Amino acid sequence: MPEGDTVWRAARDLNAALAGQELTRCDLRVPKFATTDFTGDTVQDVVSRGKHLLIRGGDPAEGWILHSHLKMEGLWHVYPRGGKWRRPAFKARAVLETATHQIVGFDLGFLRVVARKDEDDAVGYLGPDLLGPDWDAEEALRRLRAEPDRPIGLALLDQRIMAGVGNVYRCELCFLAGVHPKTPVSQVPDLSRLVDLSKRLLEANKNRSRRITTGAAGRDQLWVYRREKRGCLRCGTKVAHELLGDNELELRDLYYCPHCQPLRG
């Protein structure tokens, strides 16, 4: 499941292949931008912003941004030019080529082109990026405290508060903090520790191919996420599984240990 660390790695790999390179092909396979062609333009860089990915190209001042979001199943692949794709062609939403590489975006949940000057309008609403140069723990803490009655399990997923936490981290962070995901923000014992833990967890995982929150590199790499059939890794209690979201369209799987994370009050 793509979260901030996954998108950070994708941006790193795409930047290594694209930055400073001239595009020899640009094929955007979404109706609104199907006729957009950046062939001949030079890619400036590729960066992540929370769970958003920005490919910046053209003139640094008046150029363009290819803005994508992986959603649940999206991913970007980097191939040597002429290499065989590991996904079927009908799933491709963007194909970019340089003299040496082919970059393909598959199953992208969101893809659009925006002017470079409009970057802040596109992603400026996001909170401090846990893996970005704009990370500001105090600002993230301030934004969390501004929603005292909101369940912490919903606040952690709100990218306007801090950008990069997805559903896996939401569940694991609540477990590590020993709080029930439905605990109101104002009742979380140490919010600053939770913010710090969010930063440290994503930093620790950003260079790993598999996410680890337990510190163990073996089979048991997560404490509660998707462990409803195996039990809490710490105490063995049956892990609770339910749905939580701000509305029916935003419901996400929620996992927690009733013993290690009791709902108080």
Side-chain angles (χ1 to χ4, degrees), residues 145-164:
R145 287 173 173 159
E147 308 222 14
D149 299 325
R150 197 174 188 190
I152 187 63
L154 292 180
L156 285 172
L157 281 185
D158 191 337
Q159 303 302 295
R160 298 170 300 177
I161 293 176
M162 56 182 177

Side-chain angles (χ1 to χ4, degrees), residues 88-101:
F90 74 87
K91 290 180 174 290
R93 296 294 175 266
V95 182
L96 305 175
E97 285 187 7
T98 69
T100 57
H101 289 89

Side-chain angles (χ1 to χ4, degrees), residues 15-23 41-46 56 98:
N15 190 67
L18 286 172
Q21 300 299 309
E22 180 181 315
L23 293 179
D41 285 359
T42 298
V43 175
Q44 302 301 321
D45 59 7
V46 184
R56 299 165 171 157
T98 69

